[in-house]
Amino acid sequence: MGVFRGIHQVSVDAKGRMALPARLRDEFLQYDEPSVVVTIDPASRCLLLYPVQEWEQIQQKLDKLPSFQPQARRLQRLLVGHATDLDLDSAGRILLPGPLRDFAKIARKSTLLGQGKKLEIWAQEEWDAQREEYLSETNLENLELDSMMDISL
């Protein structure tokens, strides 16, 4: 199925509609059902956008977690509780719900960041700051990517 990669700057209109770039729309159309699910990222102030088929696999795993364990319950509440089914309109736009936009501080400009089977949606300023933080903290020589990924970059 589709693979999401790359970075895309997109606008969000006053109603909260965000147009997906044509290349990303094409990736979603490779799935049997072009619906999407958007939820919050519990680790960062961004949103996660999944093709519905990919999300269903994640939700099945979340449903199997023991709900009596506080950490598992917290994760279920955050991910499933905020998960919203969305459809692409005829113009290739999705309507991001207000509470999710508020969580991620998304106003007019946003950044879509491809992450394989999903996209991250960031407020542009938030992504710029996060990227700079990552770059300032990262010493590529100390990452030991060769052993982590069994490849040489």
Side-chain angles (χ1 to χ4, degrees):
M1 286 294 139
V3 175
F4 302 101
R5 55 181 155 234
I7 190 166
H8 309 271
Q9 304 297 323
V10 296
S11 297
V12 178
D13 71 15
K15 294 181 181 178
R17 293 176 299 196
M18 179 182 70
L20 294 175
R23 190 170 70 88
L24 295 177
R25 280 195 310 261
D26 291 344
E27 294 295 330
F28 281 108
L29 293 175
Q30 290 183 27
Y31 288 89
D32 294 335
E33 189 178 341
S35 297
V36 299
V37 174
V38 65
T39 190
I40 67 171
D41 183 337
S44 300
R45 283 286 177 168
C46 71
L47 304 177
L48 305 174
L49 180 68
Y50 291 91
V52 72
Q53 290 91 336
E54 299 292 344
W55 171 255
E56 286 172 352
Q57 293 175 29
I58 292 168
Q59 184 156 352
Q60 286 174 3
K61 292 176 184 177
L62 289 167
D63 289 345
K64 291 179 183 176
L65 294 175
S67 61
F68 56 84
Q69 288 184 346
Q71 289 178 326
R73 189 71 183 137
R74 198 172 308 133
L75 189 61
Q76 290 167 330
R77 285 177 174 154
L78 290 172
L79 288 172
V80 179
H82 288 91
T84 305
D85 292 279
L86 304 174
D87 291 314
L88 295 168
D89 69 12
S90 60
R93 298 174 300 192
I94 57 172
L95 177 61
L96 295 172
L100 297 181
R101 288 194 320 266
D102 292 345
F103 169 83
K105 302 177 186 177
I106 294 172
R108 289 295 210 185
K109 295 181 180 181
S110 63
T111 298
L112 296 175
L113 193 63
Q115 295 294 291
K117 295 186 181 212
K118 68 180 180 289
L119 289 165
E120 292 180 351
I121 307 171
W122 290 80
Q124 185 173 336
E125 301 81 24
E126 292 292 317
W127 170 247
D128 290 344
Q130 184 65 66
R131 181 188 57 218
E132 290 307 312
E133 182 180 326
Y134 288 155
L135 291 171
S136 69
E137 293 175 353
T138 302
N139 179 346
L140 292 178
E141 294 173 4
N142 293 332
L143 282 181
E144 299 179 17
L145 289 176
D146 290 348
S147 62
M148 287 172 49
M149 298 174 62
D150 195 29
I151 62 170
S152 180
L153 295 179

